[in-house]
Amino acid sequence: MTIALLGTGLLGSAIATRLLACGERLTVWNRNPERGQPLVALGAQWASSAAEAAAEAEWLITVLNDGPTTQAVLIDQVGAALQGRRVLQMGTIGPAESQQLADAVAGLGGAYLEAPVLGSRPEALEGRLQLMAGGPAELMEEALPLLRQLSQEPVHLGPVGTAMTTKLALNQLIASLTHAFSLSLHLVQQGGVAVEPFMALLRSSALYAPTFDKKLQRELSGDYGNPNFPTAHLRKDLDLFISAAQQAGLNSEGLSGLAALLQRSSAAGLDGLDYCALHQLTAGQTAAARPE
C-alpha cells in the first residue's frame, strides 16, 4: 500500500511509526515540518504540502486537531487530489462534522471512513489501539488490512457518525471518571485519610476503574509531563460530547461544571500536560494546606 498521513502530532506520529515498522510506504505532512523529521529518519517521505502528500497515495490518513482543521486540510488544500483516494479520518471530531466531511470528500470523488481510536501513543506503537469505524461496509472491508496493523480487532459500527458518536461517549467517561476520582482523592487527603487504605477499599469495590490507578502516581506527585493525551484535547472532546448530546435532545447539564473547570486549564498552563492535570484545578484554594 502507498499511504499518506496528514498530522504528525502525538498520536499521528505513533501511527506513522507503527506503519513504517510494518513495512508500509508512507508519506507524511505536518504544518510544522520539524514534527515530521523523526519520521523521515525512520524512512518516511516528506511532502511539502497536503496535496503533494495525497497525490500518489492509495490511502490518506488524517490525524488532525479538530473538525475545522481537518476540513481545511482535506477540502481546501488537498481538494481535487481526493479524486480516487480513500480517506481514513482518525482524528476526534463531532459526528455532524464527520458526516459533512464525508459528503465533501464524496463530492470531490473520494471515499471516506471515520476511524477514531481509544488508546494513545503506547498502544499505537504496538498495534493495540481500539479502533472503531463508521462508513460504507465495503470500504471497511478494503481498509481492514491497513486497520489491522493498528488494531487487533477493528470494529465497524455502522454509517458515518456512529464511530465518532461512540468515541465521544468513551472520552466523556475519561473526563468524568478522572474528575470524580480527583475530587475524592483530594477530599480523603484533606480529611487525614492515608491514600493506600482508601485505594484498597476502592479497588475491592464495584466503583473501581483501572484508570484510577493508572493516574494515581501522577496526581500524587504532580508530574503531568510527557502526555499521551493532553488536557486541551480532553477539553475539546468534552465540548464535542456536550454539543452532540444537546443535538440528540439529552440533558447534559451535569457536565457543565466540568466543562467550565477545564476552560481554566489554559490560564493555569495545563493545556499541554497530561489530562489528569485537572487534579490541580479540582484542588481549588485548599491545595497548599493539603496534608502529606
Side-chain angles (χ1 to χ4, degrees), residues 70-71 74-75 82 87 89 93-114 134-136 139 159-161:
T70 306
Q71 176 87 16
L74 268 182
I75 307 307
L82 287 170
V87 175
Q89 203 301 101
I93 64 177
E97 290 177 314
S98 191
Q99 291 164 345
Q100 292 168 3
L101 195 57
D103 291 341
V105 169
L108 290 165
Y112 179 93
L113 189 73
E114 60 182 19
L139 186 58
V160 171

Side-chain angles (χ1 to χ4, degrees), residues 65-234:
N65 283 338
D66 52 35
T69 300
T70 306
Q71 176 87 16
V73 170
L74 268 182
I75 307 307
D76 300 339
Q77 297 183 36
V78 177
L82 287 170
Q83 176 70 41
R85 306 281 179 258
R86 292 169 288 185
V87 175
L88 291 178
Q89 203 301 101
M90 300 187 71
T92 301
I93 64 177
E97 290 177 314
S98 191
Q99 291 164 345
Q100 292 168 3
L101 195 57
D103 291 341
V105 169
L108 290 165
Y112 179 93
L113 189 73
E114 60 182 19
V117 298
L118 196 64
S120 53
R121 185 171 178 83
E123 292 80 10
L125 292 172
E126 297 175 6
R128 295 188 296 106
L129 292 167
Q130 291 180 267
L131 188 148
M132 56 212 87
E138 60 274 17
L139 186 58
M140 177 68 180
E141 285 297 319
E142 293 175 14
L144 277 176
L146 173 54
L147 299 181
R148 284 180 175 146
Q149 297 186 56
L150 304 174
S151 173
Q152 294 174 350
E153 295 184 13
V155 178
H156 184 235
L157 293 171
V160 171
T162 56
M164 286 302 166
T165 296
T166 304
K167 168 64 171 171
L168 293 182
L170 292 167
N171 277 22
Q172 184 273 133
L173 289 173
I174 295 175
S176 292
L177 286 170
T178 303
H179 180 233
F181 178 67
S182 172
L183 279 171
S184 291
L185 182 61
H186 277 310
L187 185 63
V188 296
Q189 288 186 285
Q190 286 290 342
V193 178
V195 170
E196 190 48 42
F198 165 69
M199 291 301 301
L201 288 165
L202 178 58
R203 291 183 190 113
S204 63
S205 77
L207 307 173
Y208 178 70
T211 188
F212 299 156
D213 267 311
K214 183 178 180 181
K215 296 303 181 182
L216 177 62
Q217 289 307 313
R218 277 188 179 268
E219 292 175 346
L220 292 177
S221 66
D223 178 10
Y224 306 114
N226 300 313
N228 291 315
F229 185 52
T231 307
H233 288 184
L234 185 69

Side-chain angles (χ1 to χ4, degrees), residues 10-22:
L10 289 171
L11 181 60
S13 64
I15 289 171
T17 300
R18 171 68 179 176
L19 292 174
L20 289 168
C22 291

